Amino acid sequence: MYVAVKGGEAAIDNAHRLLADRRRGDRAVPALTLEQIAGQLALAVDRVMAEGSLYDRELAALAVKQSRGDLIEAVFLARAYRTTLPRFGYSRPLDTAAMLVERRISACYKDLPGGQLLGPTFDYTHRLLDPRLAGDVSIEEPARRETSDASMMRVSEILAQEGLIEADGAIDQARGVGDITRAPAEFPMNRDSRLQALSRGDEGFLLALAYSTQRGYARSHPFAGEIRIGEVEVEIEVPELGFSVSLGRIQVTECQMVNQFAGSAKAPPQFTRGYGLVFGQSERKAMAMALVDRALRAAEFGEDVVAPAQDEEFVIAHCDNVQATGFVEHLKMPHYVDFQAELDLVRRMRAEHAGSTAPHEQQPREAAE
Amino acid sequence: MIETNQAPDENQSIRQRRMAVLARADSAAIARCWTALGIDPTFTMLRGPETGLVTLRGRVGGGGSPFNFGEATVTRATVRLESGAIGHSWALGRDQDKARLAAIIDALAQDTEMAGRIDEAVIRPLASAQDTDDRSRVAETAATRVDFFTMVRGED
């Protein structure tokens, strides 16, 4: 017999009211503005945009505020908002070579055209807490240096000149560009769909997988060929105009990882590559993405699939933190009936077990009784 | 499409440039320039302003095959003026006032004489502010450029 049980309406209402109160906190402290969140917690906002797969700083800041800083909850809010909007179309592919660069480094070449530009980085800080930041200290304006507008060649182009590195990556797209938001994931997956999934994948999960490849689980001996952060222009073909228009710019982080490859009977030894492209300033994520992208190309290079990071289905099916949190967190929803059934089953099994063993053996009492 | 005596290609690139400047500018900045121009045309909204998503594409390895990278909010609008001129606007974000105003400006600018006034009063100041902003960011980044030097090790 199945009995539907209802209840908890007042409790839920009051819980949400309590949530609103706790979120606001001490009313004597001014409420955070979205400008403050977007401006001063910018990298949290970037993470929500990247994993929410929705570029909109103001909405991501609102999500951070609404979620009390729980970034996976904020990502969930961004994803939910996305589903309410119609889709106007696909942009032209971004040209990251034409980026207005805010940071660009290479671990492969010291003196490369355009130079090593550190930008606003945590690197080389001492990771000591700065007590001055507890207050509102005045911050000096950034230093400036006049520069001739040198174009910033990609490191992959430098290596490509000698034929030492594989090309950017061509995919058979006879059936169009893969889109995991339109078609259910099917394995094996094309690299384009994988990159889409990785770009919005959970930073922590990808970081751990990337780390595992460095520790020997699918060793690929990587170099950070180039990391660049900056703004790129977004363009779209507008059918009613018959030409493409610029929609403005977005900030992205791009990572080109350079990996060793011994070569095969067919191909001479050559560097191979992993690619990372992420919304906002998200360097760790872009690097992790590039390492995982390369590990997932194992089959392409005839490498043995021996480690989790090389297992396409394992990585892609588990990298989305909204899906992951949905399934893990659903366990807290009422399972009263399921549990009653299980309880009943365990009792019956124990009774059968008791019946089949020697009658003089004392059975331990059930803990619940 | 564009009824002026200039070559269509040139007109198109001027219009693209104008739309790009408007797309990048914020609503308040456009409104300031627009108010200074002192025009108040009658128009009909043909579409929107409406907010939706555009799927952004990247390229594998930076220059290879395209892949879908993520989505962005985009707002677009289309207006028609009494003259019959039609204007469009498309921009990242959710600013519908900006979309409406940018579409009106695009429509007005299809008249050659008006285009001159608009470029003078709206597009040029906005573009100049955007260029200053870019130059300043380039200079700030350039100050973080590493100048390597070699230590003399004393081996003659």
Side-chain angles (χ1 to χ4, degrees), chain A residues 55-56 247, chain B residues 50-52 72-76 91-96:
Chain A
Y55 197 98
D56 188 315
L247 302 179
Chain B
E50 59 185 358
T51 301
T73 52
V74 168
T75 301
R76 65 183 180 188
L92 290 169
R94 287 166 296 120
D95 193 333
Q96 303 208 340

Side-chain angles (χ1 to χ4, degrees), chain A residues 55-56 82 87 145 240, chain B residues 47 55 71 73 94 147:
Chain A
Y55 197 98
D56 188 315
R82 269 177 68 243
R87 175 151 14 184
R145 183 199 226 182
E240 58 268 31
Chain B
R47 178 172 67 185
T55 301
E71 280 147 1
T73 52
R94 287 166 296 120
D147 295 314

